[in-house]
Amino acid sequence: MKTSTYNPSPLEVDFANALFIVQQQIEKHLHDNKIVNVESDINKDNPTVKFSLLDKDGDPHEVVIRIIQIPDKF
């Protein structure tokens, strides 16, 4: 399927939603960190998903994932 729209593309939006949905599975792989909140902004040019974390000492951390689809190469 050729991508007809970008910024954001449907694939970028779907990927952001998938990250939000699987946050519990992601947390299992984050040693000594717990996900306390997840925010997604799927309306941006490149959607973002922000994970707010607490480590084993109770210190807060944030990880932001920006999703960028590279233009199709046909």
Side-chain angles (χ1 to χ4, degrees), residues 12-43:
E12 290 172 333
V13 171
D14 287 347
F15 212 94
N17 286 328
L19 286 171
F20 184 84
I21 292 167
V22 299
Q23 62 185 281
Q24 290 179 340
Q25 288 82 0
I26 292 171
E27 186 178 61
K28 293 176 188 176
H29 301 279
L30 303 176
H31 304 290
D32 298 324
N33 286 277
K34 179 179 181 182
I35 296 174
V36 294
N37 189 44
V38 178
E39 298 173 20
S40 62
D41 187 349
I42 59 172
N43 297 315

Side-chain angles (χ1 to χ4, degrees), residues 16 39-50:
E39 298 173 20
S40 62
D41 187 349
I42 59 172
N43 297 315
K44 284 185 172 183
D45 178 9
N46 300 114
T48 60
V49 182
K50 180 170 76 172

Side-chain angles (χ1 to χ4, degrees), residues 42-61:
I42 59 172
N43 297 315
K44 284 185 172 183
D45 178 9
N46 300 114
T48 60
V49 182
K50 180 170 76 172
F51 291 84
S52 299
L53 310 163
L54 279 179
D55 66 18
K56 66 180 180 177
D57 298 325
D59 297 326
H61 302 279

